[in-house]
Amino acid sequence: FPTRPPPFDVQGISDDVLIDFTPELKAEAKEILSKYRTGPLYTPPVLMTDELNGTIQMPGWGGGANWWGAAVDPETGMLYVPSFTSPIVVGLTAPDAARSNFKYIRGRSPGSFRLAGPRGLPLTKPPYGRITAYDLTKGEIAWQRAHGDGIRQQIIDAGIPDPGPVGSSSSTGPLLTKTLLFFGQGSRTSRGGAEQSANTAVLNAFDKKTGERIHSTPLPERPSGTPMSYSVGDTQYIAMAWSGSGRSGLMSLALP
């Protein structure tokens, strides 16, 4: 049970992290939450009953840092971690005796393992995708930013004032340089309601000291792999894998 540095994503679920753009949304989210067992990280699955649909786990099996990895700067002692929040439902049920002699197996909650919130919005408040910068010399978070607009337009369309970027699940791992932090981003399947609202694909460049996005370059395909950089002669390239519509490949960018 790590106690330092602070976590980069939401761990466990409670009323404190529920969506709260309006009092009505918060009340609807609490009603949804009442149908599940809740608690901190490592809250075990519960036996599913007519009263309880299972246990909510955060940030979920597809959330957190996932497989993209992080980037560390040995010169400054900074660590950069991309992550996103994707609550899931887990529960136990008695198996078919003809197929298993286990007392309990994992059961399927009504609807899906994925957990949606009120009115098609996420159950929790943003950010849904973020970049966290740690100062490892202090064991503290130096800055944290929502990564991408995410469902920003969907929230506006619901009659809620523009919340600004709320973060998207569509991210690659980081590419770190002397001054910049690069991430690929593009539309992908929704996870817990945190789907990017526009069908876009970009390569974002951030100031690694502040987290400010300083440039965004459109990409012809959705990036699916962490960017890498290399030089040929006097030209420096940034390359990454892409995938979509049953196809995949590599793309590389360079200054003219």
Side-chain angles (χ1 to χ4, degrees):
F1 292 83
T3 58
R4 190 177 182 90
F8 52 80
D9 211 299
V10 181
Q11 295 189 348
I13 190 165
S14 67
D15 288 358
D16 294 338
V17 301
L18 295 181
I19 191 170
D20 59 358
F21 291 121
T22 67
E24 293 78 14
L25 281 173
K26 180 68 175 284
E28 291 177 37
K30 291 177 69 173
E31 176 62 24
I32 293 173
L33 202 67
S34 69
K35 297 177 174 65
Y36 300 89
R37 183 180 184 183
T38 60
L41 193 66
Y42 307 123
T43 297
V46 68
L47 184 64
M48 293 188 298
T49 66
D50 292 339
E51 291 76 31
L52 284 178
N53 293 332
T55 297
I56 297 176
Q57 293 186 344
M58 290 269 280
W61 60 7
N66 212 291
W67 59 269
W68 302 285
V72 67
D73 191 330
E75 295 181 354
T76 63
M78 297 291 291
L79 175 71
Y80 303 91
V81 186
S83 68
F84 66 93
T85 304
S86 177
I88 63 169
V89 178
V90 293
L92 301 177
T93 188
D96 180 349
R99 300 185 62 186
S100 173
N101 62 357
F102 286 6
K103 186 173 183 179
Y104 299 113
I105 61 171
R106 180 169 183 169
R108 178 173 291 276
S109 297
S112 173
F113 289 141
R114 306 294 183 195
L115 185 63
R119 308 182 198 182
L121 296 171
L123 185 64
T124 60
K125 54 189 174 184
Y128 307 118
R130 68 192 63 72
I131 303 169
T132 305
Y134 286 102
D135 185 339
L136 297 181
T137 66
K138 299 178 180 179
E140 299 175 352
I141 292 176
W143 55 261
Q144 189 175 70
R145 299 284 185 272
H147 186 202
D149 282 343
I151 59 167
R152 179 180 183 178
Q153 189 59 52
Q154 181 182 340
I155 293 170
I156 296 171
D157 292 344
I160 299 168
D162 187 354
V166 295
S168 171
S169 63
S170 57
S171 175
T172 70
L175 168 64
L176 184 67
T177 72
K178 288 286 187 180
T179 56
L180 299 175
L181 185 64
F182 290 93
F183 285 91
Q185 191 174 70
S187 60
R188 64 181 297 163
T189 303
S190 173
R191 292 185 181 273
E195 183 180 9
Q196 192 172 7
S197 59
N199 185 22
T200 58
V202 295
L203 178 66
N204 290 321
F206 299 86
D207 183 322
K208 71 177 187 179
K209 291 183 179 180
T210 65
E212 178 186 2
R213 190 176 72 173
I214 60 176
H215 189 70
S216 185
T217 299
L219 297 175
E221 300 287 351
R222 180 181 73 83
S224 58
T226 298
M228 63 167 289
S229 184
Y230 62 95
S231 295
V232 177
D234 295 328
T235 304
Q236 185 172 7
Y237 298 86
I238 295 179
M240 67 205 85
W242 63 266
S243 63
S245 301
R247 302 177 301 124
S248 61
L250 295 171
M251 54 186 169
S252 187
L253 292 79
L255 291 175

